[in-house]
Amino acid sequence: MRLVIARCSVDYAGRLTAHLPSAPRLILVKADGSVSIHADDRAYKPLNWMSPPCTLKEGTGEEEGVWTVINKAGEKLIITMEEVLHDSSHELGVDPGLIKDGVEAHLQELLADRIETLGDGYTLIRREYPTAIGPVDILCRDAEGKTVAVEIKRRGEIDGVEQLTRYLELLNRDPHLAPVRGVFAAQEIKPQARVLATDRGIGCQVLDYDAMRGIEDDKLRLF
């Protein structure tokens, strides 16, 4: 991972246009090729970013100090450096990934086994569907055959909705899956998380852990 702290301005040119005026910012360049621009607030959420696959070109000569990041769709993130305050690279190695607590892991297993809990006609594609930014808890199809990504939490809060939003942005770039909608599933969903999910077109599903564990097994039996 490369960490650059610089006074810079940022321009995005793609489906929309956006401009960040000159200010000190943190730029993260990750091993997966992603580039994100951060301010000293907003927790983990970047001001602007480019998800992989993308390429980073650092300008030379008259273009020195200008970084151009281009993704496969031709969208550009142009970072104009005015003063570099820090520039370092670090090898983090392979991350072991997030280990869910027992309840979340069991909820995922139960919901995958009882995918009809989400609605009639739902079918499972797979659990832990891999993406460049981590696995989606459950990927399935609804009764109309459309793809649905499900993020499962024991307690549903805003950060879980943000996580699912990032997955959806990435999944919807895959023409074999798009359009992909999201479902935020948890034993308890905080009001603020529900409002944010609704605003982003994400459905909410409250899971009754005890009831799901107590559902009688309707799989084939010997007697």
Side-chain angles (χ1 to χ4, degrees), residues 120-212:
D120 294 336
Y122 274 69
T123 56
L124 178 69
I125 296 176
R126 68 167 290 175
R127 291 170 54 193
E128 299 288 332
Y129 186 87
T131 77
I133 57 174
V136 178
D137 286 338
I138 289 178
L139 199 70
C140 58
R141 297 194 188 279
D142 63 17
E144 298 177 354
K146 295 181 179 179
T147 312
V148 181
V150 185
E151 178 64 26
I152 300 171
K153 298 293 184 186
R154 184 163 56 87
R155 181 178 295 106
E157 300 189 42
I158 285 177
D159 58 349
V161 179
E162 295 282 10
Q163 183 180 356
L164 180 53
T165 300
R166 293 194 296 274
Y167 287 143
L168 290 171
E169 180 184 358
L170 198 61
L171 292 170
N172 272 301
R173 296 181 182 182
D174 186 338
H176 299 293
L177 297 175
V180 185
R181 65 180 179 87
V183 172
F184 188 48
Q187 287 180 277
E188 173 193 0
I189 299 177
K190 296 294 186 180
Q192 299 93 330
R194 187 179 292 276
V195 169
L196 181 61
T198 301
D199 182 66
R200 295 184 176 179
I202 294 172
C204 292
Q205 178 81 34
V206 175
L207 302 175
D208 188 327
Y209 183 50
D210 292 332
M212 291 175 70

Side-chain angles (χ1 to χ4, degrees), residues 36-121:
S36 56
I37 318 295
H38 297 259
D40 200 13
D41 61 3
R42 302 186 181 210
Y44 57 85
K45 186 174 177 63
L47 296 167
N48 214 326
W49 69 93
M50 194 69 82
S51 300
C54 58
T55 58
L56 167 61
K57 179 183 177 182
E58 297 186 42
T60 58
E62 292 184 358
E63 294 294 316
E64 186 175 1
V66 178
W67 290 14
T68 304
V69 188
I70 307 175
N71 66 13
K72 63 180 181 180
E75 298 167 319
K76 293 182 180 181
L77 192 65
I78 301 169
I79 307 167
T80 304
M81 306 286 191
E82 298 171 13
E83 180 184 9
V84 176
L85 305 173
H86 174 85
D87 189 345
S88 65
S89 297
H90 307 271
E91 179 59 53
L92 302 185
V94 178
D95 190 88
L98 176 68
I99 300 176
K100 293 179 177 291
D101 67 29
V103 172
E104 280 189 21
H106 199 202
L107 277 170
Q108 183 190 114
E109 180 182 348
L110 286 169
L111 188 56
D113 189 51
R114 307 286 181 175
I115 199 66
E116 66 275 6
T117 301
L118 297 176
D120 294 336

